[in-house]
Amino acid sequence: MSPARRCSGMRAAVAASVGLSEGSAGSRSGRLFRPPSPAPAAPGARLLRLPGSGAVQAASPERAGWTEALRAAVAELRAGAVVAVPTDTLYGLACAASCSAALRAVYRLKGRSEAKPLAVCLGRVADVYRYCRVRVPEGLLKDLLPGPVTLVMERSEELNKDLNPFTPLVGIRIPDHAFMQDLAQMFEGPLALTSANLSSQASSLNVEEFRDLWPQLSLVIDGGQIGGGQSPECRLGSTVVDLSVPGKFGIIRPGCALESTTAILQQKYGLLPSHASYL
C-alpha cells in the first residue's frame, strides 16, 4: 500500500479513536472542534484558539480547551493532514514525518524546493537518541533543548526515508512551547516542521499573517502573537547548528539565539567552529 493511501486510510479510524466523527464524504464538519467564540475563518480552514494569552511557558494543560485542541491536532496529524502550530520562534506547519504524502503536501503548499530539508520536532530530549546518532554530551542537548535552536545530527534508520532523502543529516527541534511539547508527546512520533509561510516570503508571528494558506490546511492552532514586537529580529527563526562532526559545530543559520548558543558550545563544552554542510 502506498504511503498516501495509508495516510488517508487512517483518517476515519483515528477520528473515531479520539472521539471525533469522520462525517459524510466531501464534508469535514463532523471532525470540527468548535471552541467558544471562534474567529472568522477563511473557507476550508478550521481555527482553534489556545486558552490564555499564548505565552509559551505559562499555559497549563489543565486549562479549558487545551486538551481538546491537542486531541484535534493529533487526530489530523495521524490522518496525514498538515496543521499550523505556534512555536517558541515562529508559526510553523507540522505533519507526521512518517507520512510521505503529508511531506509532499507541505512542499507543495509552501512552494518549497524539495532540495531544502524539513526539521523534525520531538517532545523530549530522550527521543533525540532514537532518531539521531548523537555525538555530543547529553548535558549539551539538555542545555539547548527545549529552546529556539535546531540541532543538526546524523539521522538514524528510524526516520522515514522520504524525509530529506538527499542528506544523511536531520535537524531536530524541541520548541520551548508548552503546546508543541505536549503535541509531540501525545502524537508519539516525529513531526516534520517548517515555517508557516510561502517560500521566499516573510515568516509569521500570528495566524493572520499566513491566512492565504488556511484553505490548504486541515487545522490552524492560534496561540496568539509570538515574540515581543515586529522588529526584523523577531522573524529570524531558530538558530540552526550542525553537530554532526565530533568536537566541532557549524552555524547554518544565525537565527534568534546565536550568541547564547555559541557561548554554550564553545565556553562550556569546548567545541570548535567549523564549516556547516547541511544546506
Side-chain angles (χ1 to χ4, degrees):
M1 184 180 293
S2 69
R5 187 177 299 274
R6 286 200 303 270
C7 295
S8 60
M10 290 191 293
R11 187 178 296 277
V14 169
S17 73
V18 294
L20 301 173
S21 170
E22 173 63 18
S24 60
S27 170
R28 303 177 70 95
S29 60
R31 292 183 289 112
L32 173 60
F33 167 73
R34 298 184 183 275
S37 304
R46 289 169 297 156
L47 185 145
L48 305 183
R49 279 201 182 108
L50 292 181
S53 64
V56 298
Q57 295 179 335
S60 166
E62 301 303 320
R63 285 183 175 178
W66 187 270
T67 300
E68 289 84 354
L70 283 170
R71 292 174 65 202
V74 168
E76 295 294 347
L77 291 165
R78 288 181 178 168
V82 181
V83 174
V85 292
T87 76
D88 53 349
T89 56
L90 307 166
Y91 271 88
L93 301 178
C95 73
S98 61
C99 183
S100 299
L103 296 174
R104 292 192 293 271
V106 169
Y107 280 102
R108 184 171 58 251
L109 69 89
K110 278 180 62 79
R112 182 178 177 88
S113 167
E114 294 188 1
K116 292 185 176 182
L118 301 177
V120 166
C121 176
L122 303 175
R124 305 177 182 89
V125 170
D127 297 333
V128 177
Y129 292 86
R130 178 177 179 182
Y131 299 107
C132 296
R133 293 183 172 89
V134 180
R135 294 188 171 92
V136 296
E138 182 180 10
L140 187 154
L141 296 184
K142 291 183 175 180
D143 280 343
L144 295 178
L145 301 173
V149 296
T150 300
L151 302 184
V152 177
M153 291 172 279
E154 185 178 353
R155 61 190 287 164
S156 75
E157 297 298 322
E158 290 282 334
L159 287 173
N160 181 3
K161 289 180 171 32
D162 289 336
L163 173 72
N164 310 334
F166 46 84
T167 176
L169 307 179
V170 66
I172 298 296
R173 279 278 275 138
I174 304 180
D176 190 10
H177 193 293
F179 181 82
M180 284 304 299
Q181 291 178 44
D182 286 352
L183 178 62
Q185 292 171 22
M186 183 179 287
F187 182 72
E188 297 183 328
L191 297 173
L193 185 66
T194 185
S195 57
N197 57 285
L198 292 173
S199 288
S200 78
Q201 292 190 5
S203 50
S204 302
L205 299 178
N206 63 69
V207 297
E208 292 297 327
E209 293 183 342
F210 61 93
R211 193 180 182 94
D212 289 349
L213 296 181
W214 289 15
Q216 303 177 68
L217 301 174
S218 174
L219 185 66
V220 176
I221 301 295
D222 184 357
Q225 180 77 17
I226 295 175
Q230 295 295 325
S231 67
E233 289 75 16
C234 294
R235 300 180 188 272
L236 293 177
S238 65
T239 295
V240 184
V241 185
D242 186 346
L243 295 177
S244 62
V245 179
K248 298 183 178 181
F249 73 94
I251 299 299
I252 297 171
R253 182 177 71 190
C256 64
L258 178 61
E259 291 186 10
S260 60
T261 300
T262 55
I264 290 172
L265 295 173
Q266 291 183 288
Q267 298 172 19
K268 186 171 183 178
Y269 293 96
L271 271 61
L272 301 174
S274 68
H275 175 72
S277 58
Y278 181 51
L279 296 178

